[in-house]
Amino acid sequence: MLITQTPLRVSFFGGGTDQREFYRHTQGCVLSTTIDKYLYVILKERYDKKFVVSWSRKESVESLDEIQHQLVREALRLTTLGPGIEVVTVADIPSEGSGLGSSSTLTVGLLNAFWQFQGETKTPEELARQAVMIEADILRKPVGKQDHYAAAYGNLRTLTFSPNETVTAEKVALPEPTRRRLENNLLLFYTNRTRSADPIISEQKANTESKKPILSRMRDQVALAQQLLQGGDLDGFGRLLHEAWTLKKQLAGGITTPDLDRMYQTALDAGALGGKILGAGGGGFLLVYSPMERQDAVRHAMTAIGYGEMPFRFERDGTKVIFNVRRDSWKVAP
């Protein structure tokens, strides 16, 4: 039996510039961090020749092509693993539409588990690149690249996307007191709704040409945000989040709604300096930046209108194996 743990991510700045429609002409750049909320993949050998996959439902099939879970099916196909295996996926958060990069995180975790089960260790770059290939090229999902690379590498990083398809993942070095203050000043509130990101991202991709000036400003905020962090101006970082959210709302319809706008305004009125809906928008989690002395008021105001907080910390590691017990196979070879 083998278990992988792969972290979800919070994206701060530059979202949308990780789409090919943007970075194929100019560099894209994203600032994000992984957090201590995870997707787990549990993998074990079976006594028979079936593929068994347990997620929100359970599948038990004879052939790879019969597997309905697309990410599991294509990750198995790419790694040439099976038959005679059982795959279980478990998540710390709503499994779809959270805005925390769950589908890409799962793909990275699946690939890591499947390769490691066969005794092969892949680099974060290899895992991320293969995960992008599965989602974007094989399944034709309207995804960017940032989530895959964040999940594979972990930590607080700037991710740079070049026209030649290369990606650099540079860790943002912060003094430990600054890192802890940043963690402490960020709050996550659940919007009480999930949504499919595909329609929003598809519209955003279609709008890329006309929205290039906005996307370029969002990309350039990454360097400014990094300067603010490294200079210790965390409140400036929080105010920049507000500017980024104002820009992001202009990229496509459905990114925000009247209810989400009211939710965000409630946080601002209570003392927050900035924030954003994570992921494509439309639901999932609202990230809020608030100085410590104002957080009681922010929490009280959000609780009063029915929104719960999900506590979190930053995660330094990317996808990893947390349990691995290997024994000789007892099955007779076909």
Side-chain angles (χ1 to χ4, degrees):
M1 178 181 287
L2 182 147
I3 303 174
T4 58
Q5 172 185 281
T6 309
L8 296 159
R9 65 96 188 98
V10 165
S11 179
F12 297 118
F13 298 98
T17 71
D18 61 323
Q19 298 277 358
R20 283 185 181 133
E21 286 74 10
F22 181 84
Y23 70 70
R24 67 185 175 189
H25 300 299
T26 183
Q27 277 192 341
C29 197
V30 168
L31 175 64
S32 69
T33 186
T34 43
I35 63 172
D36 63 346
K37 300 294 178 285
Y38 307 97
L39 285 168
Y40 299 89
V41 176
I42 304 166
L43 178 62
K44 66 181 291 291
E45 187 178 52
R46 285 184 59 82
Y47 54 86
D48 56 24
K49 294 296 183 181
K50 290 186 176 181
F51 293 95
V52 176
V53 184
S54 298
W55 40 304
S56 58
R57 54 188 169 134
K58 185 171 184 176
E59 302 183 56
S60 180
V61 298
E62 303 287 342
S63 70
L64 180 64
D65 290 337
E66 293 179 90
I67 298 175
Q68 295 300 302
H69 194 301
Q70 294 180 322
L71 300 178
V72 173
R73 182 184 67 236
E74 298 308 323
L76 286 170
R77 195 189 309 277
L78 188 150
T79 58
T80 66
L81 179 64
I85 59 162
E86 185 165 352
V87 182
V88 180
T89 66
V90 183
D92 283 341
I93 47 86
S95 59
E96 185 178 2
S98 67
L100 300 175
S102 56
S103 67
S104 304
T105 297
L106 177 58
T107 309
V108 169
L110 288 166
L111 287 167
N112 194 19
F114 295 168
W115 284 121
Q116 293 277 3
F117 197 74
Q118 299 175 87
E120 294 191 43
T121 299
K122 299 296 183 181
T123 66
E125 163 62 30
E126 290 172 315
L127 292 172
R129 181 162 30 85
Q130 290 177 357
V132 171
M133 182 174 67
I134 286 174
E135 286 205 270
D137 301 326
I138 296 174
L139 296 176
R140 302 291 182 182
K141 292 181 177 292
V143 296
K145 287 184 173 182
Q146 65 159 312
D147 297 347
H148 312 83
Y149 280 82
Y153 279 94
N155 220 314
L156 176 66
R157 293 182 184 269
T158 56
L159 303 172
T160 303
F161 310 95
S162 299
N164 65 0
E165 296 291 342
T166 60
V167 179
T168 59
E170 182 180 358
K171 186 166 64 174
V172 179
L174 293 180
E176 192 58 30
T178 303
R179 182 186 180 93
R180 287 198 298 267
R181 283 175 52 217
L182 179 61
E183 278 185 325
N184 291 335
N185 289 357
L186 293 170
L187 310 173
L188 274 179
F189 293 96
Y190 186 46
T191 65
N192 299 329
R193 67 175 72 188
T194 58
R195 79 289 176 266
S196 171
D198 288 2
I200 298 173
I201 298 176
S202 294
E203 180 182 348
Q204 184 175 318
K205 287 163 68 78
N207 293 344
T208 298
E209 189 63 35
S210 63
K211 302 294 184 180
K212 269 187 180 177
I214 295 174
L215 286 163
S216 295
R217 289 173 62 189
M218 294 172 68
R219 175 202 58 202
D220 294 344
Q221 287 178 327
V222 171
L224 177 55
Q226 189 166 341
Q227 291 172 11
L228 291 168
L229 288 178
Q230 293 175 331
D233 186 1
L234 299 188
D235 287 356
F237 180 91
R239 294 186 183 96
L240 191 63
L241 276 175
H242 177 74
E243 294 179 27
W245 174 237
T246 301
L247 292 172
K248 179 177 177 175
K249 291 190 292 184
Q250 302 175 50
L251 296 178
I255 288 177
T256 192
T257 67
D259 285 344
L260 296 180
D261 287 339
R262 283 192 292 270
M263 180 184 183
Y264 180 51
Q265 190 61 48
T266 297
L268 293 179
D269 291 344
L273 298 182
K276 56 175 290 195
I277 298 293
L278 295 177
F285 284 89
L286 170 70
L287 176 71
V288 168
Y289 178 95
S290 173
M292 287 289 289
E293 64 272 15
R294 304 180 188 177
Q295 288 184 10
D296 285 347
V298 171
R299 289 188 173 102
H300 178 77
M302 299 297 272
T303 300
I305 58 174
Y307 297 109
E309 181 188 2
M310 182 177 75
F312 74 99
R313 310 300 292 177
F314 292 172
E315 168 59 68
R316 298 176 189 269
D317 295 332
T319 184
K320 59 186 177 182
V321 174
I322 60 172
F323 183 83
N324 189 3
V325 174
R326 302 178 65 84
R327 299 185 178 91
D328 293 338
S329 177
W330 55 270
K331 293 190 294 186
V332 178

